[in-house]
Amino acid sequence: MVAALAEAVGTRVGRTRVAFVDVLGPSPSEVLRDTPGRAILVPAFLASGYHVHTDVRREVAISGHSAVTVTPALGPDPALARVLLRRLTEAGWNPGDAIVLAAAGSSDARALRDVERAALMLAEAAGVRVDIGYIATGEPKVADVVAAARVRGAKRVFVASYLLAHGLFHERLHAAGADGVTEPLGVDPGVVDLVVNRYESARRELVSLHDVSLRNADVCRPGRRSS
């Protein structure tokens, strides 16, 4: 899925390469060492936890690349809330049905706060309360949140998968007892737009900084004495 996302982004911004910060390769440091000139790194994470704050920074440092701009992670963002709402509608959700935002979870409090922000954005987009359940790390678990919604009187409960791709975590959601489970965010046009926007914002900032440095150089350039 990540490769497909990179391909879709590449058709709009030019050459785009994929790197991984966990067990897969190549690593960001390997890709950066093979990347001449300025590089823009977009962390394809839905929340900023250990991977974003520590792994990515470490990989940039050990790459030895001297001109890397790291953008904010993809989530949370209102664009993702809109994709989630579209996925919910595709899964059969109707206004008034209960929603549980299902995230992988993290031991990093910063990532959990990002998930809470994502839930608030989805709640604003959907116009209903959105509860949070975790699939792996963190409490409460998705199945418990679904059950709690039914105790409160919800006739139908839908799980919004706050995951980028299919896999074990997503498959677990189908056993949570909900009336419907959305597809992962995937290579949705909204996700592609978000990655492109992250890249373009960083590129514009680089151009602006370059222009400022040129103006400063012009101001400080020594004048030639006239005879």
Side-chain angles (χ1 to χ4, degrees):
M1 173 267 162
V2 175
L5 178 59
E7 182 178 356
V9 171
T11 62
R12 295 173 56 181
V13 305
R15 186 180 185 221
T16 303
R17 299 186 61 184
V18 175
F20 300 91
V21 296
D22 46 22
V23 296
L24 297 176
S27 67
S29 58
E30 291 170 332
V31 172
L32 288 171
R33 280 195 291 266
D34 192 37
T35 302
R38 292 191 174 276
I40 296 175
L41 191 159
V42 182
F45 293 97
L46 301 178
S48 294
Y50 185 85
H51 283 321
V52 173
H53 290 290
T54 302
D55 286 341
V56 169
R57 292 178 181 177
R58 183 187 64 246
E59 288 289 325
V60 171
I62 66 177
S63 74
H65 199 298
S66 60
V68 181
T69 298
V70 180
T71 76
L74 298 185
D77 193 278
L80 295 179
R82 291 191 290 271
V83 177
L84 286 168
L85 184 57
R86 186 158 59 249
R87 290 282 185 268
L88 281 162
T89 302
E90 292 167 354
W93 175 85
N94 291 312
D97 293 337
I99 298 175
V100 177
L101 182 69
S106 175
S107 58
D108 192 313
R110 294 167 296 187
L112 300 183
R113 287 194 294 270
D114 278 353
V115 174
E116 291 170 359
R117 290 175 57 207
L120 290 174
M121 291 176 185
L122 177 56
E124 182 176 357
V128 298
R129 166 178 172 167
V130 173
D131 295 304
I132 300 171
Y134 294 103
I135 307 165
T137 304
E139 297 289 342
K141 299 304 183 190
V142 176
D144 294 332
V145 181
V146 170
R150 295 201 188 283
V151 169
R152 290 197 309 270
K155 292 183 172 58
R156 299 208 308 165
V157 183
F158 283 77
V159 169
S161 178
Y162 196 50
L163 300 169
L164 277 175
H166 284 279
L168 178 61
F169 283 176
H170 182 76
E171 291 306 314
R172 289 180 183 175
L173 298 179
H174 292 284
D179 294 281
V181 176
T182 72
E183 288 293 298
L185 294 165
V187 191
D188 185 274
V191 177
V192 175
D193 287 345
L194 181 57
V195 177
V196 171
N197 288 341
R198 290 281 190 269
Y199 168 83
E200 292 290 355
S201 294
R203 189 181 64 83
R204 286 193 298 270
E205 184 175 345
L206 285 173
V207 170
S208 176
L209 290 173
H210 179 67
D211 289 344
V212 169
S213 66
L214 286 179
R215 288 197 297 271
N216 289 340
D218 186 61
V219 169
C220 296
R221 184 178 298 123
R224 186 173 62 184
R225 290 178 62 184
S226 59
S227 56

mmCIF file with all atom_site columns, all heavy atoms in Angstrom, residues 79-90:
data_model
loop_
_atom_site.group_PDB
_atom_site.id
_atom_site.type_symbol
_atom_site.label_atom_id
_atom_site.label_alt_id
_atom_site.label_comp_id
_atom_site.label_asym_id
_atom_site.label_entity_id
_atom_site.label_seq_id
_atom_site.pdbx_PDB_ins_code
_atom_site.Cartn_x
_atom_site.Cartn_y
_atom_site.Cartn_z
_atom_site.occupancy
_atom_site.B_iso_or_equiv
_atom_site.pdbx_formal_charge
_atom_site.auth_seq_id
_atom_site.auth_comp_id
_atom_site.auth_asym_id
_atom_site.auth_atom_id
_atom_site.pdbx_PDB_model_num
ATOM 1  N N   . ALA A 1 79 ? -8.327  16.526 6.842  1.00 0.00 ? 79 ALA A N   1
ATOM 2  C CA  . ALA A 1 79 ? -8.441  15.781 5.587  1.00 0.00 ? 79 ALA A CA  1
ATOM 3  C C   . ALA A 1 79 ? -8.663  14.297 5.853  1.00 0.00 ? 79 ALA A C   1
ATOM 4  O O   . ALA A 1 79 ? -9.446  13.632 5.157  1.00 0.00 ? 79 ALA A O   1
ATOM 5  C CB  . ALA A 1 79 ? -7.192  15.984 4.734  1.00 0.00 ? 79 ALA A CB  1
ATOM 6  N N   . LEU A 1 80 ? -7.996  13.767 6.864  1.00 0.00 ? 80 LEU A N   1
ATOM 7  C CA  . LEU A 1 80 ? -8.188  12.363 7.212  1.00 0.00 ? 80 LEU A CA  1
ATOM 8  C C   . LEU A 1 80 ? -9.573  12.134 7.816  1.00 0.00 ? 80 LEU A C   1
ATOM 9  O O   . LEU A 1 80 ? -10.181 11.081 7.601  1.00 0.00 ? 80 LEU A O   1
ATOM 10 C CB  . LEU A 1 80 ? -7.110  11.911 8.197  1.00 0.00 ? 80 LEU A CB  1
ATOM 11 C CG  . LEU A 1 80 ? -5.675  11.909 7.659  1.00 0.00 ? 80 LEU A CG  1
ATOM 12 C CD1 . LEU A 1 80 ? -4.710  11.463 8.753  1.00 0.00 ? 80 LEU A CD1 1
ATOM 13 C CD2 . LEU A 1 80 ? -5.539  11.035 6.431  1.00 0.00 ? 80 LEU A CD2 1
ATOM 14 N N   . ALA A 1 81 ? -10.078 13.104 8.561  1.00 0.00 ? 81 ALA A N   1
ATOM 15 C CA  . ALA A 1 81 ? -11.432 12.993 9.110  1.00 0.00 ? 81 ALA A CA  1
ATOM 16 C C   . ALA A 1 81 ? -12.452 12.884 7.981  1.00 0.00 ? 81 ALA A C   1
ATOM 17 O O   . ALA A 1 81 ? -13.415 12.112 8.069  1.00 0.00 ? 81 ALA A O   1
ATOM 18 C CB  . ALA A 1 81 ? -11.735 14.190 9.999  1.00 0.00 ? 81 ALA A CB  1
ATOM 19 N N   . ARG A 1 82 ? -12.222 13.632 6.924  1.00 0.00 ? 82 ARG A N   1
ATOM 20 C CA  . ARG A 1 82 ? -13.150 13.565 5.780  1.00 0.00 ? 82 ARG A CA  1
ATOM 21 C C   . ARG A 1 82 ? -13.072 12.207 5.085  1.00 0.00 ? 82 ARG A C   1
ATOM 22 O O   . ARG A 1 82 ? -14.100 11.660 4.659  1.00 0.00 ? 82 ARG A O   1
ATOM 23 C CB  . ARG A 1 82 ? -12.836 14.695 4.792  1.00 0.00 ? 82 ARG A CB  1
ATOM 24 C CG  . ARG A 1 82 ? -13.175 16.082 5.339  1.00 0.00 ? 82 ARG A CG  1
ATOM 25 C CD  . ARG A 1 82 ? -13.101 17.141 4.260  1.00 0.00 ? 82 ARG A CD  1
ATOM 26 N NE  . ARG A 1 82 ? -11.734 17.404 3.816  1.00 0.00 ? 82 ARG A NE  1
ATOM 27 C CZ  . ARG A 1 82 ? -10.936 18.307 4.366  1.00 0.00 ? 82 ARG A CZ  1
ATOM 28 N NH1 . ARG A 1 82 ? -11.343 19.028 5.406  1.00 0.00 ? 82 ARG A NH1 1
ATOM 29 N NH2 . ARG A 1 82 ? -9.711  18.500 3.885  1.00 0.00 ? 82 ARG A NH2 1
ATOM 30 N N   . VAL A 1 83 ? -11.882 11.646 4.992  1.00 0.00 ? 83 VAL A N   1
ATOM 31 C CA  . VAL A 1 83 ? -11.745 10.312 4.408  1.00 0.00 ? 83 VAL A CA  1
ATOM 32 C C   . VAL A 1 83 ? -12.425 9.276  5.300  1.00 0.00 ? 83 VAL A C   1
ATOM 33 O O   . VAL A 1 83 ? -13.132 8.389  4.815  1.00 0.00 ? 83 VAL A O   1
ATOM 34 C CB  . VAL A 1 83 ? -10.259 9.950  4.194  1.00 0.00 ? 83 VAL A CB  1
ATOM 35 C CG1 . VAL A 1 83 ? -10.135 8.516  3.661  1.00 0.00 ? 83 VAL A CG1 1
ATOM 36 C CG2 . VAL A 1 83 ? -9.592  10.911 3.224  1.00 0.00 ? 83 VAL A CG2 1
ATOM 37 N N   . LEU A 1 84 ? -12.231 9.387  6.605  1.00 0.00 ? 84 LEU A N   1
ATOM 38 C CA  . LEU A 1 84 ? -12.882 8.468  7.534  1.00 0.00 ? 84 LEU A CA  1
ATOM 39 C C   . LEU A 1 84 ? -14.394 8.525  7.420  1.00 0.00 ? 84 LEU A C   1
ATOM 40 O O   . LEU A 1 84 ? -15.075 7.487  7.432  1.00 0.00 ? 84 LEU A O   1
ATOM 41 C CB  . LEU A 1 84 ? -12.459 8.801  8.970  1.00 0.00 ? 84 LEU A CB  1
ATOM 42 C CG  . LEU A 1 84 ? -11.038 8.418  9.385  1.00 0.00 ? 84 LEU A CG  1
ATOM 43 C CD1 . LEU A 1 84 ? -10.682 9.079  10.719 1.00 0.00 ? 84 LEU A CD1 1
ATOM 44 C CD2 . LEU A 1 84 ? -10.890 6.908  9.493  1.00 0.00 ? 84 LEU A CD2 1
ATOM 45 N N   . LEU A 1 85 ? -14.929 9.733  7.301  1.00 0.00 ? 85 LEU A N   1
ATOM 46 C CA  . LEU A 1 85 ? -16.384 9.877  7.175  1.00 0.00 ? 85 LEU A CA  1
ATOM 47 C C   . LEU A 1 85 ? -16.873 9.236  5.879  1.00 0.00 ? 85 LEU A C   1
ATOM 48 O O   . LEU A 1 85 ? -17.931 8.587  5.854  1.00 0.00 ? 85 LEU A O   1
ATOM 49 C CB  . LEU A 1 85 ? -16.764 11.359 7.224  1.00 0.00 ? 85 LEU A CB  1
ATOM 50 C CG  . LEU A 1 85 ? -18.258 11.666 7.199  1.00 0.00 ? 85 LEU A CG  1
ATOM 51 C CD1 . LEU A 1 85 ? -18.979 10.981 8.353  1.00 0.00 ? 85 LEU A CD1 1
ATOM 52 C CD2 . LEU A 1 85 ? -18.488 13.176 7.246  1.00 0.00 ? 85 LEU A CD2 1
ATOM 53 N N   . ARG A 1 86 ? -16.104 9.399  4.819  1.00 0.00 ? 86 ARG A N   1
ATOM 54 C CA  . ARG A 1 86 ? -16.477 8.770  3.544  1.00 0.00 ? 86 ARG A CA  1
ATOM 55 C C   . ARG A 1 86 ? -16.430 7.244  3.664  1.00 0.00 ? 86 ARG A C   1
ATOM 56 O O   . ARG A 1 86 ? -17.314 6.541  3.168  1.00 0.00 ? 86 ARG A O   1
ATOM 57 C CB  . ARG A 1 86 ? -15.538 9.258  2.445  1.00 0.00 ? 86 ARG A CB  1
ATOM 58 C CG  . ARG A 1 86 ? -15.919 8.779  1.052  1.00 0.00 ? 86 ARG A CG  1
ATOM 59 C CD  . ARG A 1 86 ? -15.356 9.662  -0.021 1.00 0.00 ? 86 ARG A CD  1
ATOM 60 N NE  . ARG A 1 86 ? -13.891 9.750  0.017  1.00 0.00 ? 86 ARG A NE  1
ATOM 61 C CZ  . ARG A 1 86 ? -13.223 10.851 0.352  1.00 0.00 ? 86 ARG A CZ  1
ATOM 62 N NH1 . ARG A 1 86 ? -13.876 11.942 0.710  1.00 0.00 ? 86 ARG A NH1 1
ATOM 63 N NH2 . ARG A 1 86 ? -11.901 10.862 0.343  1.00 0.00 ? 86 ARG A NH2 1
ATOM 64 N N   . ARG A 1 87 ? -15.420 6.739  4.352  1.00 0.00 ? 87 ARG A N   1
ATOM 65 C CA  . ARG A 1 87 ? -15.326 5.288  4.565  1.00 0.00 ? 87 ARG A CA  1
ATOM 66 C C   . ARG A 1 87 ? -16.508 4.787  5.394  1.00 0.00 ? 87 ARG A C   1
ATOM 67 O O   . ARG A 1 87 ? -17.055 3.694  5.146  1.00 0.00 ? 87 ARG A O   1
ATOM 68 C CB  . ARG A 1 87 ? -14.018 4.960  5.288  1.00 0.00 ? 87 ARG A CB  1
ATOM 69 C CG  . ARG A 1 87 ? -12.758 5.147  4.439  1.00 0.00 ? 87 ARG A CG  1
ATOM 70 C CD  . ARG A 1 87 ? -12.560 3.989  3.485  1.00 0.00 ? 87 ARG A CD  1
ATOM 71 N NE  . ARG A 1 87 ? -11.304 4.112  2.779  1.00 0.00 ? 87 ARG A NE  1
ATOM 72 C CZ  . ARG A 1 87 ? -11.153 4.703  1.599  1.00 0.00 ? 87 ARG A CZ  1
ATOM 73 N NH1 . ARG A 1 87 ? -12.227 5.232  0.988  1.00 0.00 ? 87 ARG A NH1 1
ATOM 74 N NH2 . ARG A 1 87 ? -9.981  4.752  1.005  1.00 0.00 ? 87 ARG A NH2 1
ATOM 75 N N   . LEU A 1 88 ? -16.910 5.559  6.398  1.00 0.00 ? 88 LEU A N   1
ATOM 76 C CA  . LEU A 1 88 ? -18.055 5.172  7.217  1.00 0.00 ? 88 LEU A CA  1
ATOM 77 C C   . LEU A 1 88 ? -19.325 5.085  6.382  1.00 0.00 ? 88 LEU A C   1
ATOM 78 O O   . LEU A 1 88 ? -20.107 4.130  6.501  1.00 0.00 ? 88 LEU A O   1
ATOM 79 C CB  . LEU A 1 88 ? -18.244 6.173  8.359  1.00 0.00 ? 88 LEU A CB  1
ATOM 80 C CG  . LEU A 1 88 ? -17.306 6.023  9.560  1.00 0.00 ? 88 LEU A CG  1
ATOM 81 C CD1 . LEU A 1 88 ? -17.290 7.294  10.397 1.00 0.00 ? 88 LEU A CD1 1
ATOM 82 C CD2 . LEU A 1 88 ? -17.725 4.819  10.417 1.00 0.00 ? 88 LEU A CD2 1
ATOM 83 N N   . THR A 1 89 ? -19.532 6.070  5.539  1.00 0.00 ? 89 THR A N   1
ATOM 84 C CA  . THR A 1 89 ? -20.717 6.072  4.675  1.00 0.00 ? 89 THR A CA  1
ATOM 85 C C   . THR A 1 89 ? -20.703 4.860  3.744  1.00 0.00 ? 89 THR A C   1
ATOM 86 O O   . THR A 1 89 ? -21.736 4.206  3.534  1.00 0.00 ? 89 THR A O   1
ATOM 87 C CB  . THR A 1 89 ? -20.774 7.374  3.856  1.00 0.00 ? 89 THR A CB  1
ATOM 88 O OG1 . THR A 1 89 ? -20.801 8.493  4.756  1.00 0.00 ? 89 THR A OG1 1
ATOM 89 C CG2 . THR A 1 89 ? -22.011 7.413  2.979  1.00 0.00 ? 89 THR A CG2 1
ATOM 90 N N   . GLU A 1 90 ? -19.529 4.551  3.216  1.00 0.00 ? 90 GLU A N   1
ATOM 91 C CA  . GLU A 1 90 ? -19.395 3.381  2.338  1.00 0.00 ? 90 GLU A CA  1
ATOM 92 C C   . GLU A 1 90 ? -19.731 2.088  3.089  1.00 0.00 ? 90 GLU A C   1
ATOM 93 O O   . GLU A 1 90 ? -20.246 1.136  2.497  1.00 0.00 ? 90 GLU A O   1
ATOM 94 C CB  . GLU A 1 90 ? -17.970 3.299  1.790  1.00 0.00 ? 90 GLU A CB  1
ATOM 95 C CG  . GLU A 1 90 ? -17.611 4.421  0.819  1.00 0.00 ? 90 GLU A CG  1
ATOM 96 C CD  . GLU A 1 90 ? -16.113 4.496  0.540  1.00 0.00 ? 90 GLU A CD  1
ATOM 97 O OE1 . GLU A 1 90 ? -15.346 3.735  1.191  1.00 0.00 ? 90 GLU A OE1 1
ATOM 98 O OE2 . GLU A 1 90 ? -15.701 5.296  -0.317 1.00 0.00 ? 90 GLU A OE2 1
#
